[in-house]
Amino acid sequence: MSESLMVSAVDIHKSFGTNEVLKGITLEVKRGEVMCLVGPSGSGKSTFLRCINHLERINSGRLMVDNQLIGYRESNGKLHELKPSEAAAQRVGIGMVFQKFNLFPHLTALDNVISGMIRVQKIDRTIAIAEGTELLRRVGLADKLEHYPAHLSGGQQQRVAIARSLAMKPKLMLFDEPTSALDPELVGEVLDAMKQLAQSGMTMIVVTHEMGFAREVADSLVFMDGGVVVESGDPEEVLRSPKHERTRAFLSKVL
């Protein structure tokens, strides 16, 4: 795997029982690249994202992040699954933001952000508070440090979730439809936080239905359908003149 690559996925297959969800996904994401995955529901986008940090086991293929095999080690040409603790250690370097915010309801915004820093990374609480405060400022929530999730809007909660992921200093950020659970008027504030993150050079893979965001922020756009990559390329090109009939049919419904 090249030094310039952050993610290398080669012929990834994943089934749930008899349902083959991923049918040979091959993708590369360069360092600092923002890749958007689009496609109809059930096309395998979220499953692929969950495979990247080994929340789902792949059935075959090879997934590497930052030149490291994810979820497995290789010995004598065979793959052996890592222990849960080893997989969890790998996962620390891969931030993930879900549709649902998954915040701890009994913790303030700041405590949600710093809990992993203190518990997992063993960072001194005073340092964690300073770093957590700065992260919340970056996502526009400097005035919400002591607010509990119940007193935050959905967009604010999702921005806390982004700050919490960034607190672990990930090298890669995965976003699984981060705006789909939000009221329309709250979507923009989350996308703005993600744009700033992209501008800072973070490598990002974003499953999204927000085509405007894909056009403006993504370096590459991948259209998935039926567990395969149908088409990929420059976002403007794919959106303006898709080569495949399936891509055209999908885009005609969402643009």
Side-chain angles (χ1 to χ4, degrees):
M1 183 168 158
S2 145
E3 283 299 314
S4 65
L5 285 183
M6 179 58 79
V7 179
S8 170
V10 180
D11 198 25
I12 302 301
H13 288 256
K14 171 65 185 172
S15 298
F16 295 100
T18 57
N19 179 23
E20 191 179 18
V21 178
L22 301 178
K23 302 172 183 174
I25 300 288
T26 296
L27 283 178
E28 288 183 345
V29 184
K30 296 187 181 74
R31 290 178 197 280
E33 179 179 348
V34 178
M35 175 181 281
C36 280
L37 301 181
V38 303
S41 293
S43 56
K45 309 180 300 294
S46 294
T47 298
F48 176 63
L49 218 57
R50 290 171 66 82
C51 289
I52 292 174
N53 61 5
H54 203 58
L55 288 175
E56 297 289 356
R57 279 195 190 113
I58 60 175
N59 296 114
S60 63
R62 281 175 168 278
L63 252 173
M64 296 185 83
V65 172
D66 199 18
N67 290 302
Q68 191 177 28
L69 206 53
I70 290 296
Y72 297 88
R73 61 184 170 77
E74 191 169 9
S75 169
N76 300 326
K78 285 191 175 161
L79 295 181
H80 304 272
E81 191 169 13
L82 297 179
K83 295 180 189 144
S85 59
E86 294 171 320
Q90 282 188 335
R91 215 172 278 131
V92 169
I94 305 172
M96 186 152 186
V97 177
F98 299 88
Q99 293 178 32
K100 299 284 189 292
F101 325 121
N102 298 334
L103 299 178
F104 297 116
H106 62 290
L107 296 182
T108 63
L110 180 60
D111 282 331
N112 263 286
V113 170
I114 67 175
S115 62
M117 299 165 79
I118 293 167
R119 285 189 8 250
V120 179
Q121 296 182 318
K122 310 296 184 205
I123 290 172
D124 176 78
R125 186 174 176 83
T126 311
I127 294 169
I129 286 172
E131 290 186 12
T133 301
E134 169 58 20
L135 285 169
L136 285 167
R137 187 198 63 74
R138 269 179 68 188
V139 296
L141 295 173
D143 58 339
K144 305 290 185 194
L145 302 183
E146 299 306 319
H147 285 55
Y148 289 89
H151 301 137
L152 298 171
S153 71
Q156 290 167 338
Q157 289 184 59
Q158 192 61 295
R159 285 184 282 154
V160 173
I162 292 171
R164 181 179 59 183
S165 284
L166 293 176
M168 305 305 282
K169 299 187 172 61
K171 50 199 168 190
L172 169 67
M173 282 287 285
L174 309 175
F175 292 88
D176 188 8
E177 298 193 22
T179 59
S180 66
L182 299 177
D183 292 334
E185 69 268 22
L186 301 176
V187 167
E189 61 192 51
V190 173
L191 294 180
D192 285 344
M194 291 168 64
K195 281 177 201 167
Q196 287 181 353
L197 190 54
Q199 285 159 3
S200 76
M202 176 63 75
T203 310
M204 295 162 59
I205 305 177
V206 184
V207 172
T208 186
H209 293 296
E210 302 291 338
M211 296 300 159
F213 175 84
R215 179 179 262 128
E216 185 186 344
V217 180
D219 300 296
S220 58
L221 183 69
V222 173
F223 171 64
M224 284 177 64
D225 192 15
V228 299
V229 172
V230 177
E231 186 163 350
S232 63
D234 175 74
E236 190 61 49
E237 226 166 85
V238 174
L239 293 171
R240 193 179 58 239
S241 50
K243 295 182 174 64
H244 290 264
E245 183 52 46
R246 278 155 90 188
T247 319
R248 280 196 289 275
F250 173 75
L251 291 176
S252 72
K253 294 189 183 89
V254 297
L255 287 178

PDB file of all heavy atoms in Angstrom, residues 24 30-31 36 49 81 98 103 110 119 145 160 166 168 171 186 200 205 236:
ATOM      1  N   GLY A  24     -17.745  -7.340  -3.597  1.00  0.00           N
ATOM      2  CA  GLY A  24     -16.432  -7.107  -4.203  1.00  0.00           C
ATOM      3  C   GLY A  24     -16.122  -5.627  -4.368  1.00  0.00           C
ATOM      4  O   GLY A  24     -15.917  -5.147  -5.480  1.00  0.00           O
ATOM      5  N   LYS A  30      -7.048   8.568  -0.628  1.00  0.00           N
ATOM      6  CA  LYS A  30      -5.737   9.171  -0.340  1.00  0.00           C
ATOM      7  C   LYS A  30      -5.796   9.953   0.979  1.00  0.00           C
ATOM      8  O   LYS A  30      -6.858  10.360   1.424  1.00  0.00           O
ATOM      9  CB  LYS A  30      -5.330  10.125  -1.466  1.00  0.00           C
ATOM     10  CG  LYS A  30      -5.116   9.459  -2.812  1.00  0.00           C
ATOM     11  CD  LYS A  30      -4.549  10.470  -3.802  1.00  0.00           C
ATOM     12  CE  LYS A  30      -4.338   9.839  -5.169  1.00  0.00           C
ATOM     13  NZ  LYS A  30      -5.595   9.632  -5.891  1.00  0.00           N
ATOM     14  N   ARG A  31      -4.623  10.193   1.550  1.00  0.00           N
ATOM     15  CA  ARG A  31      -4.539  11.034   2.747  1.00  0.00           C
ATOM     16  C   ARG A  31      -5.076  12.433   2.423  1.00  0.00           C
ATOM     17  O   ARG A  31      -4.727  13.004   1.394  1.00  0.00           O
ATOM     18  CB  ARG A  31      -3.084  11.167   3.218  1.00  0.00           C
ATOM     19  CG  ARG A  31      -2.532   9.909   3.780  1.00  0.00           C
ATOM     20  CD  ARG A  31      -1.062  10.075   4.179  1.00  0.00           C
ATOM     21  NE  ARG A  31      -0.488   8.747   4.334  1.00  0.00           N
ATOM     22  CZ  ARG A  31      -0.654   7.992   5.420  1.00  0.00           C
ATOM     23  NH1 ARG A  31      -1.354   8.444   6.431  1.00  0.00           N
ATOM     24  NH2 ARG A  31      -0.123   6.785   5.492  1.00  0.00           N
ATOM     25  N   CYS A  36     -17.166  10.957  -0.880  1.00  0.00           N
ATOM     26  CA  CYS A  36     -18.583  10.795  -0.563  1.00  0.00           C
ATOM     27  C   CYS A  36     -19.119   9.533  -1.230  1.00  0.00           C
ATOM     28  O   CYS A  36     -18.874   9.305  -2.423  1.00  0.00           O
ATOM     29  CB  CYS A  36     -19.383  12.002  -1.030  1.00  0.00           C
ATOM     30  SG  CYS A  36     -19.272  13.412   0.084  1.00  0.00           S
ATOM     31  N   LEU A  49     -18.831   1.131   5.376  1.00  0.00           N
ATOM     32  CA  LEU A  49     -18.242   2.040   6.360  1.00  0.00           C
ATOM     33  C   LEU A  49     -17.939   1.299   7.659  1.00  0.00           C
ATOM     34  O   LEU A  49     -16.866   1.461   8.252  1.00  0.00           O
ATOM     35  CB  LEU A  49     -19.227   3.190   6.626  1.00  0.00           C
ATOM     36  CG  LEU A  49     -18.658   4.583   6.838  1.00  0.00           C
ATOM     37  CD1 LEU A  49     -17.810   5.017   5.648  1.00  0.00           C
ATOM     38  CD2 LEU A  49     -19.777   5.585   7.071  1.00  0.00           C
ATOM     39  N   GLU A  81      -8.199 -13.302  12.771  1.00  0.00           N
ATOM     40  CA  GLU A  81      -8.895 -12.148  13.350  1.00  0.00           C
ATOM     41  C   GLU A  81      -8.219 -11.712  14.639  1.00  0.00           C
ATOM     42  O   GLU A  81      -7.794 -12.534  15.451  1.00  0.00           O
ATOM     43  CB  GLU A  81     -10.363 -12.477  13.612  1.00  0.00           C
ATOM     44  CG  GLU A  81     -11.162 -11.233  13.958  1.00  0.00           C
ATOM     45  CD  GLU A  81     -12.666 -11.460  13.974  1.00  0.00           C
ATOM     46  OE1 GLU A  81     -13.106 -12.624  13.952  1.00  0.00           O
ATOM     47  OE2 GLU A  81     -13.394 -10.463  14.025  1.00  0.00           O
ATOM     48  N   PHE A  98     -22.314   8.663  13.604  1.00  0.00           N
ATOM     49  CA  PHE A  98     -23.474   7.907  13.127  1.00  0.00           C
ATOM     50  C   PHE A  98     -24.669   8.834  12.869  1.00  0.00           C
ATOM     51  O   PHE A  98     -24.648  10.007  13.217  1.00  0.00           O
ATOM     52  CB  PHE A  98     -23.881   6.857  14.171  1.00  0.00           C
ATOM     53  CG  PHE A  98     -22.814   5.846  14.476  1.00  0.00           C
ATOM     54  CD1 PHE A  98     -21.861   6.088  15.461  1.00  0.00           C
ATOM     55  CD2 PHE A  98     -22.759   4.629  13.787  1.00  0.00           C
ATOM     56  CE1 PHE A  98     -20.873   5.149  15.754  1.00  0.00           C
ATOM     57  CE2 PHE A  98     -21.777   3.687  14.077  1.00  0.00           C
ATOM     58  CZ  PHE A  98     -20.838   3.961  15.058  1.00  0.00           C
ATOM     59  N   LEU A 103     -24.971  10.217  22.273  1.00  0.00           N
ATOM     60  CA  LEU A 103     -24.337  10.926  23.392  1.00  0.00           C
ATOM     61  C   LEU A 103     -24.807  10.315  24.712  1.00  0.00           C
ATOM     62  O   LEU A 103     -25.891   9.735  24.786  1.00  0.00           O
ATOM     63  CB  LEU A 103     -24.695  12.413  23.356  1.00  0.00           C
ATOM     64  CG  LEU A 103     -24.256  13.196  22.109  1.00  0.00           C
ATOM     65  CD1 LEU A 103     -24.723  14.643  22.217  1.00  0.00           C
ATOM     66  CD2 LEU A 103     -22.751  13.126  21.909  1.00  0.00           C
ATOM     67  N   LEU A 110     -19.414  19.000  27.240  1.00  0.00           N
ATOM     68  CA  LEU A 110     -17.966  18.904  27.451  1.00  0.00           C
ATOM     69  C   LEU A 110     -17.575  17.532  27.984  1.00  0.00           C
ATOM     70  O   LEU A 110     -16.606  16.918  27.507  1.00  0.00           O
ATOM     71  CB  LEU A 110     -17.502  19.999  28.416  1.00  0.00           C
ATOM     72  CG  LEU A 110     -15.993  20.004  28.720  1.00  0.00           C
ATOM     73  CD1 LEU A 110     -15.170  20.196  27.459  1.00  0.00           C
ATOM     74  CD2 LEU A 110     -15.657  21.110  29.734  1.00  0.00           C
ATOM     75  N   ARG A 119     -10.727   8.338  29.856  1.00  0.00           N
ATOM     76  CA  ARG A 119     -10.843   6.904  30.158  1.00  0.00           C
ATOM     77  C   ARG A 119      -9.968   6.031  29.262  1.00  0.00           C
ATOM     78  O   ARG A 119      -9.349   5.078  29.722  1.00  0.00           O
ATOM     79  CB  ARG A 119     -12.306   6.450  30.035  1.00  0.00           C
ATOM     80  CG  ARG A 119     -13.159   6.896  31.202  1.00  0.00           C
ATOM     81  CD  ARG A 119     -14.550   6.314  31.260  1.00  0.00           C
ATOM     82  NE  ARG A 119     -14.840   5.274  30.312  1.00  0.00           N
ATOM     83  CZ  ARG A 119     -15.667   5.411  29.277  1.00  0.00           C
ATOM     84  NH1 ARG A 119     -16.251   6.563  29.039  1.00  0.00           N
ATOM     85  NH2 ARG A 119     -15.915   4.393  28.486  1.00  0.00           N
ATOM     86  N   LEU A 145     -20.992  24.327  26.638  1.00  0.00           N
ATOM     87  CA  LEU A 145     -20.139  23.335  27.321  1.00  0.00           C
ATOM     88  C   LEU A 145     -20.884  22.590  28.420  1.00  0.00           C
ATOM     89  O   LEU A 145     -20.727  21.377  28.580  1.00  0.00           O
ATOM     90  CB  LEU A 145     -18.908  24.015  27.942  1.00  0.00           C
ATOM     91  CG  LEU A 145     -17.970  24.805  27.014  1.00  0.00           C
ATOM     92  CD1 LEU A 145     -16.786  25.321  27.801  1.00  0.00           C
ATOM     93  CD2 LEU A 145     -17.506  23.952  25.840  1.00  0.00           C
ATOM     94  N   VAL A 160     -21.633  17.951  18.768  1.00  0.00           N
ATOM     95  CA  VAL A 160     -20.935  17.406  19.948  1.00  0.00           C
ATOM     96  C   VAL A 160     -20.342  16.034  19.597  1.00  0.00           C
ATOM     97  O   VAL A 160     -19.198  15.725  19.955  1.00  0.00           O
ATOM     98  CB  VAL A 160     -21.884  17.288  21.159  1.00  0.00           C
ATOM     99  CG1 VAL A 160     -21.177  16.565  22.314  1.00  0.00           C
ATOM    100  CG2 VAL A 160     -22.353  18.671  21.628  1.00  0.00           C
ATOM    101  N   LEU A 166     -13.351  13.721  17.224  1.00  0.00           N
ATOM    102  CA  LEU A 166     -12.078  14.414  16.994  1.00  0.00           C
ATOM    103  C   LEU A 166     -11.189  14.402  18.234  1.00  0.00           C
ATOM    104  O   LEU A 166      -9.961  14.470  18.128  1.00  0.00           O
ATOM    105  CB  LEU A 166     -12.336  15.862  16.575  1.00  0.00           C
ATOM    106  CG  LEU A 166     -13.007  16.054  15.213  1.00  0.00           C
ATOM    107  CD1 LEU A 166     -13.288  17.523  14.974  1.00  0.00           C
ATOM    108  CD2 LEU A 166     -12.135  15.488  14.102  1.00  0.00           C
ATOM    109  N   MET A 168     -10.377  12.043  20.005  1.00  0.00           N
ATOM    110  CA  MET A 168      -9.496  10.875  20.034  1.00  0.00           C
ATOM    111  C   MET A 168      -8.351  11.002  19.023  1.00  0.00           C
ATOM    112  O   MET A 168      -7.594  10.066  18.805  1.00  0.00           O
ATOM    113  CB  MET A 168     -10.304   9.602  19.752  1.00  0.00           C
ATOM    114  CG  MET A 168     -11.486   9.399  20.685  1.00  0.00           C
ATOM    115  SD  MET A 168     -11.049   9.417  22.434  1.00  0.00           S
ATOM    116  CE  MET A 168     -10.353   7.773  22.612  1.00  0.00           C
ATOM    117  N   LYS A 171      -7.002   9.579  12.582  1.00  0.00           N
ATOM    118  CA  LYS A 171      -6.358   9.895  11.301  1.00  0.00           C
ATOM    119  C   LYS A 171      -7.370   9.823  10.165  1.00  0.00           C
ATOM    120  O   LYS A 171      -7.101  10.267   9.052  1.00  0.00           O
ATOM    121  CB  LYS A 171      -5.204   8.924  11.052  1.00  0.00           C
ATOM    122  CG  LYS A 171      -5.560   7.455  11.229  1.00  0.00           C
ATOM    123  CD  LYS A 171      -4.303   6.621  11.433  1.00  0.00           C
ATOM    124  CE  LYS A 171      -4.648   5.227  11.907  1.00  0.00           C
ATOM    125  NZ  LYS A 171      -3.469   4.482  12.328  1.00  0.00           N
ATOM    126  N   LEU A 186     -31.607  22.286  10.417  1.00  0.00           N
ATOM    127  CA  LEU A 186     -30.420  22.041  11.252  1.00  0.00           C
ATOM    128  C   LEU A 186     -29.283  21.376  10.472  1.00  0.00           C
ATOM    129  O   LEU A 186     -28.179  21.234  10.978  1.00  0.00           O
ATOM    130  CB  LEU A 186     -30.793  21.159  12.444  1.00  0.00           C
ATOM    131  CG  LEU A 186     -31.881  21.713  13.375  1.00  0.00           C
ATOM    132  CD1 LEU A 186     -32.220  20.698  14.454  1.00  0.00           C
ATOM    133  CD2 LEU A 186     -31.448  23.028  14.000  1.00  0.00           C
ATOM    134  N   SER A 200      -9.375  21.442   7.031  1.00  0.00           N
ATOM    135  CA  SER A 200      -8.209  21.274   7.911  1.00  0.00           C
ATOM    136  C   SER A 200      -7.316  20.113   7.463  1.00  0.00           C
ATOM    137  O   SER A 200      -6.258  19.893   8.029  1.00  0.00           O
ATOM    138  CB  SER A 200      -8.666  21.040   9.357  1.00  0.00           C
ATOM    139  OG  SER A 200      -9.141  19.701   9.508  1.00  0.00           O
ATOM    140  N   ILE A 205     -14.520   9.844   4.881  1.00  0.00           N
ATOM    141  CA  ILE A 205     -15.427   9.095   4.010  1.00  0.00           C
ATOM    142  C   ILE A 205     -16.827   9.367   4.528  1.00  0.00           C
ATOM    143  O   ILE A 205     -17.121   9.127   5.708  1.00  0.00           O
ATOM    144  CB  ILE A 205     -15.129   7.588   4.010  1.00  0.00           C
ATOM    145  CG1 ILE A 205     -13.665   7.318   3.632  1.00  0.00           C
ATOM    146  CG2 ILE A 205     -16.057   6.858   3.025  1.00  0.00           C
ATOM    147  CD1 ILE A 205     -13.277   5.850   3.669  1.00  0.00           C
ATOM    148  N   GLU A 236     -18.157  16.686  -9.605  1.00  0.00           N
ATOM    149  CA  GLU A 236     -18.828  17.532 -10.596  1.00  0.00           C
ATOM    150  C   GLU A 236     -19.130  16.748 -11.872  1.00  0.00           C
ATOM    151  O   GLU A 236     -20.222  16.833 -12.437  1.00  0.00           O
ATOM    152  CB  GLU A 236     -17.936  18.746 -10.909  1.00  0.00           C
ATOM    153  CG  GLU A 236     -18.599  19.821 -11.739  1.00  0.00           C
ATOM    154  CD  GLU A 236     -19.826  20.440 -11.073  1.00  0.00           C
ATOM    155  OE1 GLU A 236     -19.740  20.827  -9.904  1.00  0.00           O
ATOM    156  OE2 GLU A 236     -20.875  20.510 -11.743  1.00  0.00           O
TER     157      GLU A 236
END
